[in-house]
Amino acid sequence: MNKFSLRNRSILTAAIGAVLVLGAVSQVNAQSAQDRAEERRSRHAESKQTASKPADEYPNATRQVEAKASSKGGPKLQKMMKLYDDDKAAEARAAADEIIATEAFNAYDRAFAAQIAAQIAYDADDTAGAKAYLQKAIALNGLDNNGHFGAMYMLAQLQLQDEQYAESLKTLDTFFAETKSTKPEQLVVKGNALYRMERYPEAAAVLKQAIDASPNPKPEWQQLLMATYAESGNAGEAAKMAEAVAAKNPNDKRAQLNLAAVYQQGEQYDKSAAVLEKLRASGQLTEDKEYRQLYATYLNMDGKEKEAISVINDGLQKGILKPDYQTYLAQAQAYYFSDQAGPAIDAYKKAAPLAPDGEAYLNLARVLWQEDRVPEAKEAAKQAVAKGVKKPDDAKKILALPSK
């Protein structure tokens, strides 16, 4: 009997959505407004206890400015700071706005008020307001180097957070040109902006410079560099770095997951599976996405359907894998390609009602027809048409079959 075959493996398994995630790369510190306000109060209390002048954070900068309050502006600034210290944010911001708008005050008075207003806006989650104040503070050019370049650096971070990548990079280019800074944590922000703009070779160079300059580079910096290598197609460098990090941190789950992800992106599926299986054996695969990464790895390998089935069933039994459409679809495909039609049908029956369209019902109909279960195949085809399929003629051919 001439029966429909299921679509080829590559198309079917593509629906699974293999997990190839190196992890989220943070752009700025995620803090609540309350956390930021508390941190600000702590910093301010410390500064009051320290009588000495703060160290010059940008010793290589050539910019020079007389950062001093005017006789008229000084009392206004003191009043503003009293409101700020007393946590009267709205009143302090209004006072800052008044100072900024008073052109009779000097550049320092107005720039300092803009700097404080930016912090108040940031603490209130008003990112747009914070950026506007920071731009004003920078344009006034009245702060000392610590304040001026600090405002520029904060602006670049907020622009990056708001996905204004080109603007952030422009701000950072000015920042580095004027400060001559080589601080790793600042270079990483530039590398991040370049990465977001998909300028991977440039991003890799900056990130490598930052990591090499730091005695203890943060894991997320290394993570970002690995992602940069992977995105640029430099699988060899990505794997080399991931292996070094994983070897240095054998008990670090994230390092091992990153290694598995890099192997997977480089299509070294056997190595990826070995890393993930070691984590599973030690009970460290505890999240849905981690089990998905492992079964997707097996489904990208020839003849590893039974291993994929084992992972899926294990994840479902432990309550780690979500019993959703993607899981049941992967299970159905694994059973089908390992010549286990019965379990494949059972899995398709679970996947089809959860699917966004009728394709799973159509595949169910095809398998049922191949197993000579024509009435059930016709019912599945009917459901496929009702939910919508790309090739309704395939379903109609099954519906036109003579009943047995």
Side-chain angles (χ1 to χ4, degrees):
M1 182 182 292
N2 181 21
K3 299 178 181 177
F4 295 111
S5 64
L6 290 173
R7 294 178 183 177
N8 65 60
R9 175 190 300 266
S10 62
I11 293 176
L12 280 171
T13 55
I16 296 169
V19 180
L20 296 173
V21 181
L22 287 172
V25 180
S26 62
Q27 296 179 349
V28 293
N29 292 330
Q31 293 176 301
S32 67
Q34 182 178 354
D35 290 339
R36 292 195 294 267
E38 184 61 36
E39 183 180 285
R40 183 260 303 165
R41 283 192 291 270
S42 177
R43 287 198 307 269
H44 191 62
E46 289 175 3
S47 67
K48 280 187 172 182
Q49 295 173 4
T50 306
S52 60
K53 183 180 178 181
D56 184 358
E57 296 179 15
Y58 304 97
N60 296 321
T62 57
R63 174 182 176 271
Q64 293 184 352
V65 66
E66 184 181 355
K68 184 177 179 182
S70 68
S71 58
K72 291 182 179 180
K76 291 284 188 180
L77 292 177
Q78 290 176 357
K79 180 181 178 182
M80 177 192 70
M81 288 306 299
K82 178 67 167 59
L83 292 168
Y84 183 57
D85 290 341
D86 290 344
D87 289 327
K88 296 179 180 180
E91 295 172 62
R93 184 168 177 174
D97 286 335
E98 181 183 346
I99 296 169
I100 295 166
T102 305
E103 295 186 4
F105 294 151
N106 69 16
Y108 175 83
D109 298 334
R110 299 168 69 201
F112 183 77
Q115 183 184 35
I116 296 301
Q119 188 63 51
I120 294 169
Y122 178 62
D123 288 345
D125 290 327
D126 178 9
T127 306
K131 289 188 293 186
Y133 283 124
L134 290 168
Q135 288 166 335
K136 185 68 175 178
I138 295 164
L140 285 165
N141 197 33
L143 297 170
D144 63 13
N145 281 353
N146 285 358
H148 182 78
F149 293 122
M152 198 177 293
Y153 182 55
M154 181 178 178
L155 174 61
Q157 290 180 296
L158 293 179
Q159 289 169 328
L160 184 60
Q161 175 183 276
D162 288 346
E163 300 182 4
Q164 296 175 308
Y165 304 135
E167 293 88 341
S168 178
L169 184 59
K170 183 178 179 180
T171 303
L172 287 165
D173 283 341
T174 302
F175 172 84
F176 283 108
E178 295 184 5
T179 64
K180 307 296 189 294
S181 175
T182 56
K183 292 180 180 179
E185 64 273 15
Q186 294 170 346
L187 288 168
V188 167
V189 178
K190 181 175 180 178
N192 200 345
L194 289 165
Y195 172 82
R196 304 291 170 179
M197 296 176 72
E198 300 182 6
R199 291 165 59 174
Y200 300 124
E202 296 168 83
V206 173
L207 291 168
K208 190 173 187 305
Q209 180 186 354
I211 290 169
D212 290 346
S214 175
N216 295 297
K218 293 182 179 180
E220 53 265 33
W221 301 357
Q222 297 169 321
Q223 183 181 346
L224 181 55
L225 180 55
M226 280 187 277
T228 303
Y229 283 141
E231 292 288 354
S232 63
N234 196 343
E237 282 299 321
K240 181 179 177 181
M241 184 172 185
E243 287 168 347
V245 173
K248 186 178 179 180
N249 305 280
N251 298 319
D252 185 337
K253 175 182 172 180
R254 181 167 61 174
Q256 303 304 317
L257 287 174
N258 283 341
L259 176 59
V262 168
Y263 280 146
Q264 195 167 3
Q265 287 201 344
E267 298 185 4
Q268 295 178 288
Y269 300 121
D270 54 340
K271 290 185 177 181
S272 180
V275 173
L276 292 170
E277 281 292 13
K278 186 176 180 180
L279 290 172
R280 183 163 74 116
S282 61
Q284 294 187 71
L285 291 191
T286 56
E287 297 183 31
D288 175 85
K289 65 182 179 180
E290 295 163 359
Y291 265 81
R292 290 180 191 275
Q293 185 173 355
L294 180 51
Y295 77 61
T297 301
Y298 280 131
L299 288 173
N300 275 299
M301 301 167 67
D302 290 332
K304 293 294 183 179
E305 291 83 10
K306 290 183 179 179
E307 286 80 357
I309 292 167
S310 173
V311 172
I312 293 169
N313 290 341
D314 180 46
L316 287 171
Q317 289 168 6
K318 290 177 178 176
I320 298 173
L321 263 179
K322 297 175 184 176
D324 58 16
Y325 163 66
Q326 291 289 351
T327 299
Y328 289 131
L329 178 64
Q331 187 182 48
Q333 291 167 352
Y335 276 126
Y336 178 80
F337 287 115
S338 60
D339 296 322
Q340 300 181 69
I345 288 170
D346 292 339
Y348 270 124
K349 285 182 176 179
K350 294 176 182 177
L354 303 174
D357 53 36
E359 296 298 335
Y361 270 119
L362 184 53
N363 278 334
L364 172 60
R366 288 169 173 146
V367 180
L368 288 165
W369 183 23
Q370 289 175 354
E371 294 300 301
D372 289 324
R373 294 164 62 172
V374 176
E376 293 174 81
K378 293 175 75 171
E379 180 58 31
K382 181 180 177 182
Q383 295 287 344
V385 172
K387 291 194 75 169
V389 290
K390 294 178 181 178
K391 295 183 178 180
D393 286 346
D394 286 359
K396 290 176 182 178
K397 289 178 182 178
I398 295 175
L399 288 169
L401 291 170
S403 299
K404 291 188 177 182

